Amino acid sequence: MHKSTDPAHPAPRRHGGVALISNERGDVLLVDPRYRAGWQLPGGHAMPGEDHLAAAVREVAEETGLVIAPTRVLAIDYVSATATSAEGLNVVFDGGTVPAGTPIGIQTDELDGCRWVPLDDLANYTVPEQAARIRRAHAVRAEGGGIPFLRRGQPVG
């Protein structure tokens, strides 16, 4: 059986939910996973029977202690398989803006850290694909766009 964070035994297909979370300055919250190069948006792998939104909410809470309630999708990113990662989809949700002074923790068994990163500094932290995903999701949010996330045809939230 595979673990969602085991690059030696990836799932045959991975579905994940991640969240674009900003602070009041517009910086983006990134986490530094121990099992993958580069920083990324908080969130992760959906468990069997769990949809992308539930995975994002659960993973963000586990990784950072933040409780989010997103209802719209900012981007859906297809990821092709590599030697260390399975093919899959990552759904980027609008995780909102965190007020100044909100405590953020890290899940130390999977993460080396988390930090607020200005959009202009993404290239210093993320791999190019992550930076492109984050910039596009941020642009959709800034334009007031996105699409609702539905469960069995009904809007969530």
Side-chain angles (χ1 to χ4, degrees), residues 24-148:
E24 293 171 337
R25 289 187 311 268
D27 302 331
V28 176
L29 182 63
L30 297 181
V31 296
D32 183 16
R34 292 175 182 234
Y35 54 87
R36 180 174 291 140
W39 294 65
Q40 60 190 34
L41 294 173
H45 181 76
M47 301 307 238
E50 181 180 48
D51 66 41
H52 299 81
L53 176 61
V57 170
R58 176 184 54 76
E59 286 281 347
V60 167
E62 288 175 2
E63 291 177 353
T64 68
L66 294 174
V67 177
I68 60 169
T71 58
R72 70 178 167 157
V73 174
L74 299 173
I76 300 171
D77 192 5
Y78 170 78
V79 180
S80 57
T82 68
T84 59
S85 129
E87 170 192 43
L89 292 175
N90 279 304
V91 178
V92 182
F93 292 94
D94 186 349
T97 301
V98 173
T102 301
I104 298 174
I106 66 160
Q107 183 183 38
T108 57
D109 59 330
E110 287 187 23
L111 303 176
D112 284 330
C114 69
R115 75 173 32 175
W116 295 106
V117 176
L119 287 176
D120 291 342
D121 290 344
L122 287 176
N124 296 322
Y125 293 91
T126 65
V127 297
E129 297 82 14
Q130 282 286 337
R133 174 189 295 167
I134 294 165
R135 282 193 177 91
R136 185 62 196 135
H138 191 274
V140 169
R141 179 203 272 169
E143 295 162 1
I147 57 173

